[in-house]
Amino acid sequence: ALSYATERSTFKILVDHAGPFRMFAAEAISALYATILGLTMLCKAFAQGSFECNALGFPLADVGVMAILDSLQLLLCVISGSKIPPVYLVLLVQMNIPVTIALSNCFKRGTTENEQNHGYTPLHLFGACLITAAVLMGLWPAVIEIADPDSPLNAYNSACNIFIFVLSCIPAAVST
């Protein structure tokens, strides 16, 4: 819990204080992520003594797609994160859970019912429904701001950024 709170706090501090350099910060984080991933793969290749793609244990094309999706998710979060109150950030990040469950159930591959649910019990699904309900209740004021033609521009921009932040859950869930 402490590491999660620290990560969320530092993320909010970064996007709030980066100002016009938010895009640069997102690109720098993506470059750092790619460097760490590349070094990890290189260490694994050295440990196995083979630099063949099959020797690494996972397809490099899948790793590339995952990196692109994670970078897209990061860009959407960083671009919209500075306009979102911190309380919303904590709630909206949790939307990754139900989106991941929904997408994994869309691509069922198992033969038994437990394999088709990817090991999700009814309590997992109930928890995902609770998170979805909480996020929808949190989004309701943003929906009202967007629908109201008399709302100030600042409130409208904040509401749009909330929806952009929620949309960032899609690439995150796909890459999972």
Side-chain angles (χ1 to χ4, degrees):
L2 180 63
S3 65
Y4 179 76
T6 303
E7 187 269 333
R8 284 289 100 197
S9 299
T10 55
F11 172 79
K12 186 62 178 160
I13 291 169
L14 171 73
V15 297
D16 283 350
H17 291 79
F21 301 105
R22 282 193 316 263
M23 288 297 289
F24 174 75
E27 292 167 359
I29 292 169
S30 294
L32 183 65
Y33 172 74
T35 304
I36 291 171
L37 181 65
L39 288 174
T40 303
M41 291 175 61
L42 190 61
C43 289
K44 187 173 182 178
F46 273 124
Q48 292 180 349
S50 176
F51 289 92
E52 297 176 14
C53 290
N54 294 337
L56 295 175
F58 43 85
L60 292 180
D62 291 348
V63 173
V65 169
M66 186 175 66
I68 290 169
L69 289 169
D70 286 347
S71 297
L72 177 63
Q73 187 255 349
L74 177 70
L75 285 172
L76 290 173
C77 286
V78 169
I79 290 169
S80 62
S82 65
K83 306 286 188 219
I84 299 173
V87 175
Y88 271 127
L89 280 178
V90 173
L91 178 64
L92 296 176
V93 164
Q94 303 308 318
M95 193 61 188
N96 281 332
I97 298 167
V99 172
T100 301
I101 290 174
L103 287 177
S104 68
N105 282 329
C106 287
F107 303 106
K108 295 179 184 177
R109 292 191 188 114
T111 54
T112 66
E113 184 178 337
N114 191 32
E115 288 174 347
Q116 287 181 346
N117 288 333
H118 297 280
Y120 300 128
T121 65
L123 285 176
H124 291 124
L125 300 176
F126 178 70
C129 290
L130 282 177
I131 291 171
T132 303
V135 169
L136 290 176
M137 284 190 280
L139 287 177
W140 187 248
V143 170
I144 292 172
E145 288 295 329
I146 290 175
D148 184 16
D150 297 330
S151 69
L153 183 61
N154 191 25
Y156 179 81
N157 287 341
S158 179
C160 289
N161 281 308
I162 288 171
F163 282 104
I164 291 170
F165 196 88
V166 170
L167 285 176
S168 76
C169 294
I170 296 171
V174 172
S175 75
T176 302

